[in-house]
């Protein structure tokens, strides 16, 4: 099969590799129908994630069709269309029993495209399939559902829930890439008083406004002063860091009010300074985290009901064999306007459920 292979910092290739095979009775082999690229993949290629070694197939987000299962798999079977979660769960270790699947110590956690071969390929082996894939309803398109593999649960759990967004809050999201935009969309579910988006790219700020940001600010135009003006000098209740660079994190800690919360989502490849000489007295909470994906079933139901903006985040579509072109477009988002890029075959035909809902809308109107 063909797959995108990491060959060291700055080096990847779309090349032939051996087909995956069942290695454990809990495995499933999935034919990849839709896959996307994550900002974390760019961090890997830059060399920020040294655990990823040369020869690794990248990618941790996909939708596909099950073609083979191990003898212990009970919840899916060949022919099922499934969402592949970015997090795998053994289901047995202490962390999995507590719902902290991202910290799995039984061979799961973030393994796809990290410590085992990932999803940017024609086929992928998914460990612990019963807990690591989700059957998809016909009403959810594959190229929309792939956004539930990582960005929506990550933004919701690590940003909105860790940040404890409450009704009436002033929420600032620093970074309006796909993760930041998903944070804006899911923060809006909690009726904050206002959402402020900060980014360098005008195209991403425009997308932030379309997805629910009330105010936007360029990172070069004193966004800290804007937040101070909007809050009578108090600062934001919640600040979500969705970039992964020291300057962005340090900006977040300057924007938060006394007693507020900073929720860091960004993947950091360099140290950031924690200014405790200023922060010790402010009673703030700073959270970090790797997504656990416990929210994925709920988010999947919301997408099926039309409550999440899946396709609004997808700006570019490619065939699977155009992986290198897709990476080039995604990595130059400031020039190309790319938000989320999706690769795969023809879009899934939405049948039955969507048709029934349309009929009901027509009848009531």
């Amino acid at each position: 099969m063909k797959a995108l292979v990491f060959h060291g910092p700055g080096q990847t290739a779309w090349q032939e590799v051996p087909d995956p095979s069942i290695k454990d009775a809990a495995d499933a082999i999935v034919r990849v129908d839709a896959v996307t690229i994550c900002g974390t993949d760019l961090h890997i290629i830059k060399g920020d994630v040294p655990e990823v070694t040369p020869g690794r197939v990248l990618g941790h987000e996909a939708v596909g069709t099950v073609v083979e299962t191990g003898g212990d798999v009970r919840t899916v079977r060949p022919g099922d269309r499934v969402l592949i979660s970015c997090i795998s769960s053994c289901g047995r270790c202490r962390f999995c029993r507590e719902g902290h699947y991202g910290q799995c110590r039984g061979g799961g956690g973030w393994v796809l495209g990290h410590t085992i071969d990932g999803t940017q390929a024609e086929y992928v082996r998914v460990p612990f399939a019963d807990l690591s894939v989700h059957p998809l309803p016909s009403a959810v398109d594959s190229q929309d559902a792939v956004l539930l593999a990582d960005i929506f649960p990550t933004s919701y759990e690590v940003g909105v829930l860790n940040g404890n967004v409450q009704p009436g809050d002033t929420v600032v999201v620093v970074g309006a890439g796909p993760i930041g935009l998903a944070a804006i969309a899911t923060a809006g579910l909690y009726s904050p008083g206002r959402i402020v988006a900060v980014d360098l790219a005008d195209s991403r700020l425009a997308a932030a406004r379309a997805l629910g940001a009330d105010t936007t600010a360029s990172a070069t135009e004193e966004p800290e002063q804007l937040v101070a003006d909007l809050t009578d000098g108090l600062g934001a209740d919640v600040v979500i860091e969705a970039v992964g660079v020291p300057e962005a994190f340090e900006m977040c800690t300057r924007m938060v009010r006394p007693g507020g919360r900073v929720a860091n989502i960004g993947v950091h490849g360099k140290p950031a300074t924690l200014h405790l000489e200023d922060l010790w007295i402010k009673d703030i909470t700073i959270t970090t985290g790797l997504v656990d994906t416990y929210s994925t079933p709920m988010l999947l139901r919301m997408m099926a009901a039309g409550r999440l903006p899946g396709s609004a985040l997808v700006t570019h579509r490619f065939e699977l064999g155009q992986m290198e072109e897709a990476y080039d477009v995604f990595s130059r988002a400031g020039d190309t306007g790319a938000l989320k890029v999706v690769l795969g075959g023809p879009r899934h035909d939405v049948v039955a459920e969507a048709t029934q809902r349309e009929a009901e809308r027509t009848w009531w109107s």
Side-chain angles (χ1 to χ4, degrees):
M1 69 171 186
K2 289 288 188 72
L4 188 81
V5 180
F6 175 68
H7 290 290
Q11 301 177 65
T12 61
W14 179 251
Q15 65 182 70
E16 288 192 1
V17 299
D19 291 344
S21 60
I22 298 291
K23 295 184 178 180
D24 184 271
D27 291 348
I29 305 299
V30 179
R31 184 190 71 224
V32 173
D33 299 327
V35 67
T36 185
I37 302 170
C38 180
T40 302
D41 296 320
L42 300 183
H43 281 280
I44 291 171
I45 294 171
K46 287 171 58 181
D48 290 344
V49 188
E51 297 84 3
V52 181
T53 55
R56 177 68 62 228
V57 175
L58 297 182
H60 51 269
E61 309 165 82
V63 166
T65 303
V66 176
V67 297
E68 185 181 1
T69 59
D72 290 347
V73 177
R74 296 288 181 268
T75 61
V76 293
R77 60 186 179 180
D80 286 348
R81 193 171 64 102
V82 296
L83 169 69
I84 301 172
S85 175
C86 66
I87 298 295
S88 302
S89 167
C90 79
R92 298 185 297 271
C93 71
R94 169 183 172 175
F95 291 107
C96 286
R97 288 177 178 271
E98 294 175 349
H100 296 302
Y101 309 124
Q103 303 302 321
C104 175
R105 291 298 184 266
W110 173 36
V111 292
L112 290 170
H114 184 203
T115 58
I116 68 172
D117 286 340
T119 58
Q120 289 170 4
E122 294 175 324
Y123 294 87
V124 59
R125 178 180 73 90
V126 182
F128 311 115
D130 278 335
L131 296 171
S132 305
V133 302
H134 302 270
L136 287 173
S138 61
V140 179
D141 187 272
S142 295
Q143 296 195 19
D144 292 337
V146 73
L147 304 183
L148 296 173
D150 186 353
I151 67 165
F152 271 111
T154 294
S155 299
Y156 179 63
E157 295 174 18
V158 185
V160 176
L161 295 185
N162 279 5
N164 192 26
V165 173
Q166 297 292 310
D169 278 352
T170 293
V171 178
V172 178
V173 179
V174 177
I179 288 286
L181 293 173
I184 290 167
T186 51
L189 300 173
Y190 289 82
S191 300
R194 64 168 65 89
I195 299 175
V196 181
V198 179
D199 201 276
L200 289 167
D202 290 340
S203 60
R204 292 192 165 190
L205 293 176
R209 289 190 291 270
L211 287 169
D214 302 287
T215 306
T216 59
S218 171
T220 63
E221 296 179 354
E222 299 185 350
E224 297 168 49
Q225 185 60 51
L226 171 64
V227 172
D229 292 343
L230 290 172
T231 59
D232 296 324
L234 189 64
D237 300 285
V238 182
V239 186
I240 296 173
E241 200 279 351
V243 182
V245 299
E247 296 81 3
F249 174 78
E250 293 168 30
M251 178 190 296
C252 290
T253 63
R254 293 192 297 268
M255 287 181 172
V256 68
R257 68 165 172 83
R261 290 88 67 193
V262 175
N264 182 88
I265 306 177
V267 177
H268 289 263
K270 296 180 181 179
T273 301
L274 184 62
H275 289 280
L276 286 177
E277 74 278 10
D278 298 322
L279 299 174
W280 73 271
I281 201 170
K282 293 183 67 174
D283 194 25
I284 67 169
T285 299
I286 298 175
T287 59
T288 65
L290 175 65
V291 64
D292 292 312
T293 66
Y294 62 82
S295 66
T296 301
M298 178 273 290
L299 294 170
L300 179 55
R301 291 192 298 272
M302 293 187 67
M303 181 166 281
R307 305 298 188 191
L308 288 180
S311 59
L313 291 168
V314 178
T315 55
H316 296 74
R317 301 180 189 273
F318 299 89
E319 296 297 322
L320 193 59
Q322 297 176 289
M323 187 69 69
E324 291 172 315
E325 180 183 349
Y327 259 93
D328 176 64
V329 169
F330 185 66
S331 67
R332 296 186 297 107
D335 298 324
T336 64
L339 295 175
K340 206 65 173 166
V341 303
V342 174
L343 302 94
R347 292 173 63 85
H348 168 69
D349 290 330
V350 179
V351 295
E353 297 176 39
T355 303
Q356 178 63 26
R357 283 202 301 272
E358 182 60 32
E360 290 171 356
R361 283 196 295 268
T362 301
W363 188 86
W364 280 107
S365 63

